[in-house]
Amino acid sequence: MTVVEEPVTSSPTPGKGRPTPKRRDAEARRRGPVAPAPMTAKEARARRKASKGTKADRKIAAAERRAAVNDRRARMLAGEDKYLLPRDQGPVRAYVRDLVDARRNLVGLFMPMALVLIMSMFAVPQLQSLVTLAMLVMMFFMIIEGFILGRIINNRVIARFPDTSDTGFKLGWYAFVRASQIRKMRAPKPRVKPGDAV
């Protein structure tokens, strides 16, 4: 004689008996009652002043904010990946920065030379045609060196990181922009000296 087991049926979950509240209503309930709008400008100023806290509290908060910003900037300049801008993050970009910083680039002289030429043009207006010609020659050399630098950087990156997709014009442009900056003004700061092996 076989015993047939009857399937166990679960009882349906009882309803809440009320509709689910809308999100804004639930959030408003959590926040608590909202104070009525101020009736006068004087009352509004008093509320703003009360919400800001005392002058000493504001000074402490401002000092803490400044310290946090300075700490973040120092870490970014030191090259900590977490604090870098998205365009500077990753081992490929760090390697490109080291390659650029280890080279002596003609492109880096463009800004100081352009400034000297422009100042000389203002000092002696008769030199305007010579200054224009010199600027065009400098730009021509910049374009040539930028192209060569981009090719070198891309070849070295492909040899070092064969699986990376971060190559081509974008990477060459990144190297060119870094090379065109004055060394002391580069961010993140250079980790290698000119002539160092990378």
Side-chain angles (χ1 to χ4, degrees):
M1 182 174 157
T2 57
V3 178
V4 179
E5 292 183 13
E6 292 183 13
V8 179
T9 55
S10 59
S11 60
T13 309
K16 291 185 294 192
R18 59 185 167 77
T20 304
K22 291 183 178 174
R23 175 178 282 182
R24 68 167 176 258
D25 296 335
E27 286 177 354
R29 206 174 303 118
R30 274 199 299 269
R31 277 196 295 265
V34 178
M39 299 298 281
T40 62
K42 186 177 179 182
E43 188 181 342
R45 278 196 303 274
R47 278 197 201 175
R48 269 200 308 273
K49 195 172 180 183
S51 67
K52 282 182 181 177
T54 65
K55 195 171 183 180
D57 291 341
R58 289 198 303 273
K59 276 188 177 180
I60 290 167
E64 285 172 357
R65 276 195 306 273
R66 260 195 312 274
V69 167
N70 290 339
D71 180 54
R72 191 176 180 81
R73 180 166 170 72
R75 287 170 183 259
M76 186 268 289
L77 290 174
E80 287 187 35
D81 211 42
K82 181 182 168 185
Y83 296 94
L84 294 176
L85 296 172
R87 65 154 197 239
D88 296 322
Q89 290 177 348
V92 173
R93 296 298 172 112
Y95 181 62
V96 169
R97 289 195 300 273
D98 290 344
L99 287 174
V100 170
D101 295 338
R103 283 175 50 95
R104 287 184 175 86
N105 302 295
L106 265 174
V107 180
L109 297 174
F110 179 75
M111 289 296 181
M113 288 291 290
L115 193 62
V116 168
L117 287 171
I118 290 167
M119 295 300 283
S120 65
M121 186 175 71
F122 283 125
V124 186
Q126 293 81 6
L127 294 176
Q128 185 172 1
S129 58
L130 285 174
V131 168
T132 305
L133 181 64
M135 294 278 273
L136 287 172
V137 169
M138 282 170 51
M139 286 180 72
F140 176 71
F141 278 111
M142 269 183 72
I143 291 166
I144 291 174
E145 193 188 9
F147 179 75
I148 293 168
L149 179 66
R151 292 288 299 272
I152 291 169
I153 293 294
N154 274 292
N155 290 339
R156 297 278 298 270
V157 165
I158 289 167
R160 181 81 170 259
F161 303 95
D163 297 332
T164 187
S165 60
D166 193 7
T167 55
F169 177 79
K170 203 160 87 170
L171 196 66
W173 180 253
Y174 179 74
F176 175 75
V177 169
R178 181 152 179 102
S180 65
Q181 293 171 339
I182 297 167
R183 188 176 176 83
K184 288 184 179 179
M185 296 177 70
R186 292 177 186 171
K189 296 271 186 207
R191 299 186 296 185
V192 294
K193 293 178 183 174
D196 285 358
V198 178

